[in-house]
Amino acid sequence: MNRCARGTPTALAALAATLLLGACTQAGTSAASASSPFSDSSASSETPSPAPSAASPLPANAPTPQGLLLTVDFGSGTVTFVDPERGAVASVAVGRAPYGLAVGADGLAWAATAEGLAVVDTRTRARVARIPYRTDAGPATDGEYRGGGMGIALSPDGAHAYVGVNVPGTTGVLEVVDTATRRVTAVVPVGRRPFDVDVSADGAEVYVTGHDSFDVTVVDASLRPRRIEVAAYGTEGGLGSWLKPHYTAVRPADGKLLLPFEGERLAVVDPRTGRTTVEPMTADTHQHGATVTADGRLLVVGTGAVEPGTGKGPSLTVRSPDGSERVYPLEGPHEDVAVSRDGRTAYVTGGYTRDGHWNGITVVDLETGAARRLPAGARPLGVAVL
C-alpha cells in the first residue's frame, strides 16, 4: 500500500477539486458474516517472546516523540501511538471501526472509519476533524462487512485524500477529499468492498482494489473509472470465493500493480494496458496486507490456511525484485504491514479482519526473520511509521 504523501502536485489532484461524478448512494443489505474457516493449527517457528513491559504513557501536554508507529484500532475506535521498543503509549478516539490509515508529511493522519474520515494531528495527539462521507453507507456498525471507509491513500503532494467507501450490498465508491478545506469534492464509482487504495508515484492515477468484484479500478485525471479484472484463479464462487484480491502494492521500478493471492500466485497488472501476468509465490497461505520497500522488495502478510490442512500458517513473505522469496512464519493471523525508514524492520499488525485477531504488532527483522511482539491498540489494522 502506498500511504505516505510526498512529491509534486498532479493533474488528478487539480481536477479532483472541481469535478464531481455521481455514484451509487443507496445502501443495500450487509452480507452476513460467516464463521471463519481460517485455522491457526499449524505450528509457527516464530520464537515466542516474553510479554513486554508496558511503556510509560505520554503526558497529555508533551509533544509526540520522533520514531513512533501509528495504528488504527478496529476494535476500539481509536488510533494508537506505539513505541517500537515498548509498545502503546497513547490513543486518540477517531470514530467507530476505523480501517485504513494514511499519514502526510505535515504530520496529519487520516483514518477511514465507519462514521467518516477522521483527521488526527500526530504532533499533539488530538483529533482535529471528522469529515462525513457524501455517500450513504448505512448505519455505522462494526464487523468485517460494515459500511464506511476502508482503503485510503494521499496524493503525493498531500493535497487530496482518496478513501474507498464500502456500501454494503452493492458497489463501493472512491471519495476525493480536499485536505485543505476538508470537504469531499468528488465521488467515483468503483468495485465492491474497496479494501485498498493506492496512488501512482506521479499522482496521476489512483488504484482502488475491489475485494468482492475481483478488480482494480483505475481513476485518472478525468475521474472516469476504468475497471481491470484481477482474478488469478478466475471468478468462480463469486461473493463466496476466498480467492479474491485484497491489497495492492505499486512497484517502484515500473508502476505496475502487485496483487498476491494465497501465497501461490502474484498478479502483476499493467494499469496502462490492463494486462495481467501471473508469477509463482511460495508461502502457501491466505494473504492480505502488502507493501513495497524503496529498493523494490515486496512484503506480504499471510493470515493462515483457508481450510485446515490445505495450506501453511501465518507468515510474512519478503520477495526480492528477482522473484526470490524468504518466508518468515508468524505467531497467529496478522493483517497489514509497514516498513521502517531504513528498510530493515517490518511492523505487522495483529488486528486481522476475520477471527483470530490479537491486540498488538509483530516486529520482524527483515534480515534474520527474528520476531517479537508489542502491545498496541484493540485489533489494529492499518499501520504507519511516523
Side-chain angles (χ1 to χ4, degrees):
M1 284 171 274
N2 293 353
R3 294 227 164 92
C4 290
R6 58 189 180 274
T8 58
T10 66
L12 176 62
L15 285 178
T18 57
L19 297 179
L20 171 66
L21 288 183
C24 297
T25 58
Q26 296 299 315
T29 303
S30 175
S33 178
S35 60
S36 173
F38 293 115
S39 171
D40 189 24
S41 58
S42 59
S44 169
S45 65
E46 179 182 346
T47 302
S49 55
S53 57
S56 299
L58 292 176
N61 58 351
T64 301
Q66 296 293 310
L68 297 187
L69 311 173
L70 189 67
T71 66
V72 284
D73 310 318
F74 196 72
S76 59
T78 58
V79 296
T80 293
F81 295 79
V82 182
D83 183 310
E85 296 299 325
R86 300 291 299 279
V89 294
S91 293
V92 177
V94 291
R96 195 163 183 175
Y99 184 97
L101 174 69
V103 180
D106 58 2
L108 294 180
W110 302 76
T113 82
E115 299 178 86
L117 184 56
V119 187
V120 173
D121 188 328
T122 64
R123 297 158 298 191
T124 61
R125 299 183 306 284
R127 194 187 83 190
V128 294
R130 190 165 66 204
I131 305 162
Y133 303 121
R134 183 173 293 177
T135 305
D136 179 8
T141 61
D142 303 305
E144 180 184 5
Y145 300 99
R146 65 108 173 103
M150 296 189 73
I152 185 173
L154 292 171
S155 61
D157 62 354
H160 289 83
Y162 305 104
V163 57
V165 177
N166 179 43
V167 183
T170 186
T171 52
V173 298
L174 177 72
E175 296 210 356
V176 181
V177 177
D178 184 307
T179 58
T181 64
R182 296 176 184 168
R183 294 180 180 274
V184 176
T185 60
V187 179
V188 183
V190 295
R192 298 177 70 112
R193 275 217 291 166
F195 255 58
D196 198 12
V197 177
D198 297 89
V199 182
S200 62
D202 62 2
E205 292 181 330
V206 177
Y207 311 116
V208 185
T209 305
H211 176 270
D212 286 356
S213 47
F214 299 90
D215 59 22
V216 170
T217 301
V218 180
V219 181
D220 62 15
S222 70
L223 294 182
R224 293 193 184 96
R226 175 166 53 90
R227 178 182 183 268
I228 300 175
E229 183 176 282
V230 185
Y233 292 84
T235 60
E236 185 176 355
L239 292 176
S241 172
W242 293 105
L243 308 177
K244 302 171 185 172
H246 291 81
Y247 295 85
T248 299
V250 181
R251 190 158 65 187
D254 56 11
K256 290 185 178 179
L257 311 182
L258 307 177
L259 294 92
F261 287 77
E262 303 303 312
E264 296 178 335
R265 303 177 186 182
L266 178 68
V268 182
V269 180
D270 187 333
R272 291 161 289 278
T273 66
R275 295 174 182 168
T276 299
T277 58
V278 177
E279 300 176 3
M281 297 188 75
T282 61
D284 189 20
T285 184
H286 192 67
Q287 290 179 317
H288 275 208
T291 192
V292 288
T293 62
D295 59 6
R297 289 171 294 161
L298 173 67
L299 276 63
V300 186
V301 180
T303 67
V306 170
E307 297 179 1
T310 62
K312 298 179 181 177
S315 64
L316 178 67
T317 291
V318 182
R319 182 183 179 90
S320 298
D322 64 4
S324 61
E325 294 183 345
R326 288 174 292 167
V327 179
Y328 298 135
L330 297 174
E331 183 184 346
H334 291 66
E335 182 67 23
D336 206 355
V337 58
V339 182
S340 62
R341 291 183 181 276
D342 61 11
R344 297 178 179 178
T345 308
Y347 306 103
V348 195
T349 57
Y352 190 37
T353 57
R354 297 194 64 81
D355 297 337
H357 58 271
W358 57 282
N359 300 334
I361 294 173
T362 296
V363 181
V364 182
D365 184 311
L366 293 179
E367 180 61 32
T368 67
R372 56 187 173 87
R373 285 190 164 197
L374 287 175
R379 199 173 183 176
L381 296 184
V383 58
V385 179
L386 298 180

